[in-house]
Amino acid sequence: MRSLTGFRSILRNKIKGYHKLAVLGFLLPGLSGVSLFVFLPFFDVVRRSFMTVAADKSAGLSNYKMVLSNQAFRLASTNTFRFVFICIPLLVGISLWIAYGLSRCRYMELLKSAYLLPLAIPTAAVVLVWKLLFHKQGMINACIEVLGGTGPDFMGTSLSFWVLVVSYLWKNLGYTVVLWLAGIFAIPEGIVEAARVDGAGEKAVFFRIILPNLKPTLYTITVLSFLNSFKVFREAYLVAGSYPQEDMYLLQHLFNNWFLNLDMDKMAAGAVLTGMVLFVFIFLLQIFWDRKEEWT
C-alpha cells in the first residue's frame, strides 16, 4: 500500500514537471521575439546613451546633461505633459458619459459600430479633413467670415495645441467608449436591479454601484490612453511638418529631428529619459490602484 502511494506521488511530481515544461514551451517563442526585438534594442539604446557617436567612447552623463539643458527638449517635454494631463481626463470623462448613455439606448449596437469608425479611417485621410477644417482659408474660417467675423489662424497660433487635442479625442473616443461598455455590461444586472428595488435613483446607482465596479476598466483605459497620447505625432507631423507652431511641438518632433540630424547620442539619452517617465507613471499608477483596492 505504501509503495502504491509513493508511486502516485512520484507520478504527480512528474506530471507537474511536464506541465511546467509545456508552459515554458508555449512562452518561449513569444519571449524570444520580445527579447530579440524589444529588450535587446532597448539595452543597446541605454548603452549608446552613455557613449559618443563619433568616437564610440564613454561619455558618462554628458549626453543626459546636454539633453536636459536643451531648450527644444524642455519645450517638447512641457507640451507633451500638458497634452497628456489635459487629454486623458477629458477622454476618460467624456467617453464614460457617452458609454453610460449608450448602455441604456435601444440602438446601442449600431451606435457602438459608428463610434469605432475613426479607427478604420487612415491617418492621411484624417489629416486632409483637419487641413480642410482648420487651415487659415479652411471651412471653419470661411463660415466665420460669412457671419461677418474674422477667422483665427488655428495652425499658426496657440490654438494649434487645441486642434491637436480635438484630433486626439476624435481618434480615441470610439474605442474607449467600447471599453467602457464592456465594463458596464460585465456588471451583474442583479446588483443594479436590487439597488433600484431598494429605492436607489440613477445617480446613486451610477456612483455607488456602476462606478466602483468599473475600477479595473478605468485602470486599463488610463494606461492605454496614456500610451496612445504619445502616438498623436503622426497627425501633428502630417499637418504641420517637422517644425510646427511651438505649442504643438512634441517629444516625437524632437526625436524625429534628432534622427534626421543623426544626433544619435542625444536621441538615445532622450529615449531613455522618456522610457523612465513612462515606467514610473505606470508603476505609480499600479501602486495607487492596489492601495485604493485595499481601502475599499
Side-chain angles (χ1 to χ4, degrees):
M1 195 69 178
R2 290 180 180 178
S3 61
L4 182 60
T5 303
F7 174 76
R8 288 178 177 174
S9 63
I10 293 173
L11 184 61
R12 288 195 194 97
N13 292 333
K14 286 186 176 182
I15 292 174
K16 290 180 180 179
Y18 290 143
H19 284 170
K20 291 179 181 179
L21 290 175
V23 171
L24 182 62
F26 283 113
L27 291 177
L28 192 58
L31 186 61
S32 301
V34 171
S35 300
L36 181 62
F37 296 107
V38 178
F39 291 143
L40 290 179
F42 179 75
F43 291 140
D44 184 61
V45 169
V46 174
R47 181 186 68 84
R48 289 176 182 271
S49 68
F50 296 100
M51 309 290 289
T52 59
V53 174
D56 199 24
K57 295 181 180 179
S58 176
L61 297 175
S62 61
N63 290 333
Y64 291 92
K65 293 178 181 178
M66 190 186 310
V67 168
L68 292 174
S69 61
N70 188 290
Q71 186 176 359
F73 180 79
R74 292 181 178 180
L75 175 63
S77 301
T78 302
N79 289 337
T80 300
F81 285 116
R82 179 189 174 200
F83 179 81
V84 167
F85 289 111
I86 288 177
C87 283
I88 291 181
L90 284 176
L91 179 64
V92 172
I94 295 173
S95 60
L96 177 58
W97 177 68
I98 295 174
Y100 184 66
L102 285 178
S103 65
R104 299 181 296 171
C105 181
R106 181 182 301 178
Y107 304 102
M108 187 270 299
E109 291 297 330
L110 180 62
L111 293 173
K112 185 171 68 174
S113 301
Y115 273 102
L116 289 175
L117 185 61
L119 295 178
I121 300 176
T123 302
V126 175
V127 168
L128 290 176
V129 174
W130 295 139
K131 285 185 176 181
L132 286 172
L133 290 175
F134 296 106
H135 193 267
K136 194 171 183 179
Q137 284 80 38
M139 295 176 62
I140 294 179
N141 282 347
C143 294
I144 294 175
E145 290 176 3
V146 168
L147 296 174
T150 302
D153 183 7
F154 287 100
M155 304 309 299
T157 63
S158 59
L159 291 174
S160 60
F161 176 82
W162 298 104
V163 173
L164 199 62
V165 170
V166 170
S167 66
Y168 171 81
L169 293 176
W170 181 85
K171 185 73 174 178
N172 295 278
L173 188 65
Y175 91 93
T176 309
V177 168
V178 174
L179 291 177
W180 279 123
L181 286 172
I184 290 173
F185 288 125
I187 300 173
E189 187 65 26
I191 300 177
V192 178
E193 292 298 331
R196 287 174 177 163
V197 169
D198 290 339
E202 287 296 330
K203 185 177 179 180
V205 168
F206 178 77
F207 285 102
R208 298 295 181 89
I209 304 297
I210 294 178
L211 201 58
N213 283 280
L214 289 176
K215 289 178 182 177
T217 306
L218 177 58
Y219 175 79
T220 302
I221 289 175
T222 302
V223 172
L224 290 177
S225 301
F226 180 72
L227 296 177
N228 285 331
S229 65
F230 283 82
K231 299 178 182 179
V232 76
F233 166 70
R234 296 172 298 178
E235 290 82 357
Y237 177 77
L238 291 174
V239 170
S242 300
Y243 297 94
Q245 202 274 339
E246 65 176 18
D247 286 279
M248 61 183 299
Y249 188 75
L250 305 176
L251 281 172
Q252 294 90 337
H253 289 96
L254 181 63
F255 289 151
N256 177 68
N257 296 333
W258 278 347
F259 178 78
L260 294 176
N261 296 330
L262 298 179
D263 294 330
M264 298 300 178
D265 46 359
K266 290 194 291 186
M267 188 168 67
V272 172
L273 290 173
T274 305
M276 289 174 59
V277 170
L278 291 172
F279 174 78
V280 168
F281 174 82
I282 296 175
F283 180 72
L284 293 177
L285 184 63
Q286 181 64 54
I287 292 178
F288 172 76
W289 231 258
D290 291 341
R291 290 184 177 179
K292 197 171 182 181
E293 290 292 335
E294 292 178 0
W295 296 339
T296 55

